[in-house]
Amino acid sequence: MEQKDFVKLCTSIFKKNGLIKHNSSYYRDFDNDIILVFGLQKSAYGGSYYYIEYGFIFKSINKHMPYPKYHQANIRQGRLSIDGNYAMEYELLSEEVFSEHLNAILNEMIEVAAGGKDSIVNYSILGTKRAVLIQGYDTLPYLGVAKTNIQVAP
């Protein structure tokens, strides 16, 4: 698969799952103050590598509204991984395998976001799928979570 085909496939899958594109990020806005964001990032090391990062944005406290990039999400979940690889080498990817993985993580994240703040807390902070990064000192108070043993970036 070529780069343009990879991006086109990602865009198609995101759109089928209700996300809209703005620049290089994809957003799904929920009625519960939550936006789910996915972003495509071309590797700075060259080659045919992309990263797909994702996280949750809280509209009422995110200072980068209306379209925060994935790295400005209040809760960053990290990168999509296929077989332990975080860098997607699109030239070697099977469209079928990649589509299955991307759809699976999209469905999981949509379910978590639709469940609201408590669902995100259970998934990202208390659960086994911990967030990679929590951003903004007001994020934990917004979620009603004590800061005990949790690092927060400004």
Side-chain angles (χ1 to χ4, degrees):
M1 170 169 27
E2 293 183 19
Q3 178 181 351
K4 65 179 175 140
D5 299 321
F6 175 76
V7 173
K8 188 184 276 188
L9 177 61
C10 289
T11 299
S12 172
I13 293 170
F14 288 136
K15 284 185 177 180
K16 285 179 185 169
N17 284 280
L19 283 80
I20 60 163
K21 184 177 184 194
H22 183 78
N23 294 331
S24 63
S25 297
Y26 301 81
Y27 303 88
R28 179 154 172 191
D29 193 340
F30 293 83
D31 291 334
N32 56 8
D33 198 41
I34 297 167
I35 296 175
L36 175 62
V37 62
F38 278 78
L40 300 180
Q41 176 188 357
K42 186 150 178 47
S43 174
Y45 299 107
S48 59
Y49 294 98
Y50 262 90
Y51 301 105
I52 299 176
E53 300 197 29
Y54 54 100
F56 301 104
I57 297 164
F58 304 117
K59 294 183 276 191
S60 61
I61 63 170
N62 192 293
K63 62 185 176 187
H64 303 286
M65 291 301 294
Y67 292 105
K69 295 180 175 30
Y70 60 87
H71 64 272
Q72 297 168 323
N74 298 89
I75 297 184
R76 292 177 57 188
Q77 287 299 139
R79 294 178 171 162
L80 176 69
S81 167
I82 296 179
D83 298 329
N85 296 313
Y86 293 99
M88 306 291 130
E89 191 170 4
Y90 55 81
E91 290 177 346
L92 302 178
L93 281 176
S94 153
E95 283 189 36
E96 183 178 339
V97 171
F98 173 72
S99 295
E100 283 179 24
H101 277 79
L102 184 53
N103 275 304
I105 196 66
L106 266 167
N107 290 332
E108 187 175 358
M109 293 298 98
I110 288 168
E111 184 177 328
V112 171
K117 292 191 300 188
D118 289 341
S119 178
I120 291 172
V121 167
N122 289 330
Y123 183 89
S124 300
I125 297 171
L126 304 176
T128 58
K129 307 253 179 150
R130 299 220 172 199
V132 172
L133 181 64
I134 298 171
Q135 295 189 121
Y137 294 127
D138 50 353
T139 298
L140 289 178
Y142 171 81
L143 294 172
V145 175
K147 190 181 173 200
T148 311
N149 297 325
I150 298 174
Q151 288 189 327
V152 178

